[in-house]
C-alpha cells in the first residue's frame, strides 16, 4: 500500500498551478503525515529543488521535495529518493547544519495563502521551514524560534518585502 496519496512525478509538475486551494490540500496531507518524522538527510537536485529525507520507524522513508520554479512552484511527498548535486549549495549546507535529525512537530497553513510552514525542533532549539509558493517569487526560508531569517534559497533586498538574513 502506498504511504502517500500525492506521490507526484516531475512530469506532472508542469501541469500544476499551486492555487490557494491546492496549498490547503497539500498542507492538510503534510500535517497528517509529517509530525513525528525526523529529517535524516537534506539535498538539492538542482538550484531550484530542495529535498528533505524523512524517517519514521513505523513507515517507509518519505522525501519532501520543494520545487521552486519561478512560474510553477510546488511541494510534494514522494517515496522515490531524488538525485543530488555533487556539491551542495550554501542553502543546502545551512539547512543541514540546522535541521539534520530535527523532528517535525507541526505543519501550519493559513487558508487562502500559498505559504506552508513546517515547524521543527532540535536539541539546539525550534525552527520554521517556510515554503512560499508564490508565482514569480517562490522561496524556501529557514527561521529560528524568534522569527529571524537564518537562511533563504533566494534573498531579496526589496523595500516592501525584504528577505535578508539577520546578523
Amino acid at each position: 500500500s502506498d504511504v502517500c496519496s500525492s506521490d507526484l512525478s516531475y512530469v506532472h509538475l508542469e501541469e500544476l498551478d499551486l492555487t490557494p486551494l491546492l496549498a490547503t490540500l497539500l498542507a492538510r496531507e503534510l500535517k497528517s503525515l509529517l509530525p513525528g518524522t525526523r529529517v535524516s538527510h537534506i539535498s538539492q537536485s538542482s538550484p531550484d529543488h530542495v529535498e528533505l529525507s524523512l524517517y519514521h520507524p513505523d513507515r517507509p522513508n518519505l522525501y519532501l521535495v520543494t520545487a521552486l520554479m519561478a512560474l510553477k512552484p510546488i511541494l510534494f511527498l514522494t517515496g522515490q529518493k531524488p538525485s543530488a548535486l555533487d556539491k551542495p549549495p550554501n542553502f543546502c549546507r545551512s539547512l543541514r547544519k540546522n535541521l539534520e535529525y530535527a523532528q517535525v512537530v507541526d505543519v501550519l497553513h493559513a487558508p487562502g495563502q500559498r505559504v506552508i510552514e513546517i515547524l521543527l525542533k532540535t536539541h539546539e532549539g525550534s525552527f520554521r521551514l517556510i515554503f512560499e509558493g508564490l508565482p514569480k517569487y517562490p522561496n524556501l526560508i529557514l527561521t529560528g524560534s524568534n522569527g529571524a531569517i537564518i537562511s533563504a534559497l533566494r534573498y531579496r533586498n526589496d523595500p516592501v518585502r525584504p528577505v535578508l538574513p539577520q546578523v
Side-chain angles (χ1 to χ4, degrees), residues 2 28 42 49 52 56 71 77 86 91 102-103 122 139 141:
D2 211 2
R28 186 178 304 156
I42 300 164
H49 291 69
L52 276 69
H56 190 281
L71 296 176
L77 288 170
D86 290 337
F91 181 64
Q103 181 178 11
T122 69
N139 209 347
I141 302 169

Side-chain angles (χ1 to χ4, degrees), residues 18-84:
L18 184 64
T19 63
L21 174 61
L22 180 57
T24 299
L25 296 172
L26 284 169
R28 186 178 304 156
E29 182 170 12
L30 295 175
K31 189 172 183 77
S32 72
L33 293 171
L34 297 189
T37 61
R38 289 206 175 268
V39 177
S40 60
H41 186 67
I42 300 164
S43 62
Q44 279 188 248
S45 57
S46 77
D48 295 333
H49 291 69
V50 178
E51 300 87 20
L52 276 69
S53 301
L54 302 168
Y55 167 80
H56 190 281
D58 301 329
R59 299 191 295 249
N61 285 353
L62 290 174
Y63 303 93
L64 179 65
V65 178
T66 58
L68 297 155
M69 297 140 328
L71 296 176
K72 301 273 187 174
I74 191 76
L75 105 142
F76 63 94
L77 288 170
T78 182
Q80 297 179 338
K81 184 177 181 176
S83 60

Side-chain angles (χ1 to χ4, degrees), residues 6 10 18 35 40 49 56-57 67 76 78 84 88 93 98 109 120-121 134-135 144:
S6 70
Y10 284 103
L18 184 64
S40 60
H49 291 69
H56 190 281
F76 63 94
T78 182
R93 290 197 305 265
N98 292 288
H109 169 70
L120 303 115
K121 70 176 182 180
L134 310 170

